[in-house]
Amino acid sequence: MSVLIVVDDPDDWPLPDDTGLTVVSALSYLADPAYGEDRTARVFNLCGPSHYQSLGYYVSLLADARGQQPCPRPGTIEDLQSPHLVRILTPPLAKLVEQSLAPLAAERFELDVYFGKTPASGYDVVAGQLFAFLQAPLFRASFERGEAGWITRGIRLLGLRDLPEAHRRFALEAGTSHLAGRNRAANGNGQRAFELAILHDPHAEHAPSNAEALRKFAAAAGELGMRPEFITAADFDRLAGFDALFIRDTTFLHHYTYRFARRAQREGLVVIDDPDSILKCNNKVYLAELLAHHNLPIPRTLLIHRGNIDHIAPRLALPCVLKQPDSSFSIGVDKVENENELRTMVNGLLEKSELVVAQEWLPTPFDWRVGILDRRVMFVCQYYMAEDHWQIINHNGSGGRSEGRTVPLAVGEAPEEVLRIALAAADLIGDGFYGVDIKETNTRYCVIEINDNPNVDAGNEDGILKDALYREVMAVFLRRLKRAGLGGAAA
């Protein structure tokens, strides 16, 4: 992967000879088709001003059309034209902004950020997070103090010629350091191994892989010539130094796992789980509508709002199951037995979400779990209900948390219909790593949900394939890395 620095005039960026970077004028980049031949190129657009139909805008737009990776993207240039959109986009950073600016006595503050660095002392953290969030090389963020604290009032993209003279040397050094580092990581000597980040939380109560499974994933990656490294939430700023990201922590939309996935995708990494899969699988309302729309078998289902609570019992009967949209590991999924319990539970859930899923209760001794990656079945298990409980996990048993047993089966032992509808359901989400849960009654099969980030625990899901399961998963990463042309050939 090459790195192109596009500027108004190449004399604006006097590069040392040993960086291996290419500086090109905007007009040359736009007019010379040779610059579009490398579809894996990272194009850092330092032209100014960057607004709709400006020269800088067309640099990012054509880089995107050529299949390259522009920074900033055309969508970022568009978004930042509107202060209203800026305020909508930046809430994930609101807490950090407030903490960083709270000591200031002024009512307004501006922060110049150059490749994640700032010449303003004491604001390195917020500068780095803004850079990671926006993926824009040069910009000025404006803040103002409101009634509820500091807010981001606007963000203006800068070109090299917009920088104050006193900042020019600082910006060039920050940019050269950042881009030269990326170039070495991207090109190497053609022999380096792909770098795989495995994101996990060593303190998680409900993790999708136990410690032994994580060790086996890393070992399999090493056997295939990749270099695995375990990372945690604290390693967000290091993400761009990897070629691929494997998320082995429970994913949520408003959570660092989603931010990691989103940034990894922006940086051009191969990522599982990708942000679209996290977004889709984490919302039970979306899944219920998606599966129904495509005529896949599901339990009788109602999307509940405050106006149709009275329809639940007549249509689904009691007991029935209520699901908050972002439930996982049996948390946020409740069985209600009577009308009083129903109303109390529904009203509580509607305080958190405008829509809730209600489904008929289908008592079964186990759920089928079909693990699917790259549109292929990887494993099949039966997840049995916890003892004296209607769910796989009982969080409130007399002896504390308890879990039903997992029985792995060969793929050929599963009913063909289970495999068929599992593959069809996962295909609606994408080609990532999914766990499709299916209930089997005397008369039918029903898809219960599609999970991104499915469990793979040593001693459970790997019961049939053993270590080959971990190699199969890592082989998908390797194939995608080679297909994308990221890094050198795996050693």
Side-chain angles (χ1 to χ4, degrees), residues 281-345:
C281 291
N282 266 254
N283 194 291
K284 302 295 188 292
V285 171
Y286 174 88
L287 289 178
E289 186 71 12
L290 180 73
L291 293 167
H293 180 74
H294 289 274
N295 297 315
L296 284 171
I298 61 174
R300 292 198 313 275
T301 299
L302 284 177
L303 298 184
I304 303 304
H305 50 81
R306 295 189 184 279
N308 69 347
I309 298 175
D310 291 337
H311 297 172
I312 301 175
R315 295 194 185 181
L316 302 183
L318 296 177
C320 71
V321 175
L322 298 176
K323 297 179 177 181
Q324 69 183 43
D326 56 354
S327 55
S328 63
F329 285 102
S330 300
I331 300 171
V333 179
D334 296 284
K335 183 176 72 169
V336 292
E337 303 279 357
N338 55 59
E339 287 277 2
N340 289 337
E341 192 176 40
L342 173 66
R343 290 191 172 277
T344 300
M345 189 69 68

Side-chain angles (χ1 to χ4, degrees), residues 346-428:
V346 169
N347 287 328
L349 291 173
L350 289 174
E351 290 295 323
K352 303 174 184 177
S353 172
E354 292 293 332
L355 293 175
V356 174
V357 176
Q359 289 186 326
E360 67 172 313
W361 180 46
L362 296 177
T364 58
F366 64 84
D367 287 351
W368 288 100
R369 162 62 64 87
V370 182
I372 295 170
L373 174 59
D374 217 18
R375 306 188 195 278
R376 296 186 299 120
V377 175
M378 291 284 153
F379 63 84
V380 178
C381 291
Q382 293 173 336
Y383 289 170
Y384 279 80
M385 304 303 148
E387 187 175 1
D388 299 323
H389 192 60
W390 65 281
Q391 290 173 294
I392 293 164
I393 301 174
N394 184 358
H395 294 277
N396 301 304
S398 57
R401 182 181 183 274
S402 63
E403 191 168 341
R405 62 194 174 97
T406 297
V407 177
L409 294 94
V411 173
E413 295 181 84
E416 288 186 10
E417 185 66 3
V418 166
L419 301 179
R420 185 191 70 79
I421 63 176
L423 285 164
D427 195 53
L428 297 177

Side-chain angles (χ1 to χ4, degrees), residues 2-10 12-13 21-30 41-66 68-78 80-81 113-115 131 134-140 156-163 171-172 175 178-179 182:
S2 61
V3 175
L4 297 176
I5 304 170
V6 184
V7 295
D8 293 301
D9 186 332
D12 293 339
W13 189 294
L21 302 171
T22 300
V23 179
V24 60
S25 73
L27 287 175
S28 295
Y29 175 78
L30 296 173
R42 286 281 283 173
V43 178
F44 286 84
N45 178 5
L46 308 186
C47 301
S50 290
H51 56 74
Y52 181 62
Q53 292 191 338
S54 68
L55 203 61
Y57 176 79
Y58 280 117
V59 167
S60 287
L61 189 67
L62 265 64
D64 192 67
R66 292 167 174 173
Q68 297 171 333
Q69 299 174 49
C71 179
R73 290 189 171 277
T76 301
I77 296 174
E78 290 280 5
L80 297 185
Q81 302 307 305
V113 180
Y114 311 134
F115 294 92
F131 173 64
L134 295 172
Q135 289 299 288
L138 309 172
F139 61 89
R140 177 173 295 143
R156 178 191 166 205
L157 295 175
L158 302 174
L160 276 178
R161 294 182 175 182
D162 297 319
L163 305 188
L172 291 176
H178 177 81
L179 296 175
R182 283 197 63 90

Side-chain angles (χ1 to χ4, degrees), residues 217-260:
F217 275 124
E223 290 171 9
L224 293 174
M226 294 182 282
R227 289 180 183 161
E229 180 180 341
F230 291 106
I231 64 171
T232 67
D235 293 304
F236 187 78
D237 288 338
R238 299 179 53 226
L239 193 56
F242 293 92
D243 299 300
L245 172 66
F246 187 29
I247 299 177
R248 285 284 85 195
D249 191 6
T250 304
T251 53
F252 296 100
L253 190 56
H254 300 292
H255 189 244
Y256 76 86
T257 48
Y258 181 73
R259 292 195 292 275
F260 267 75

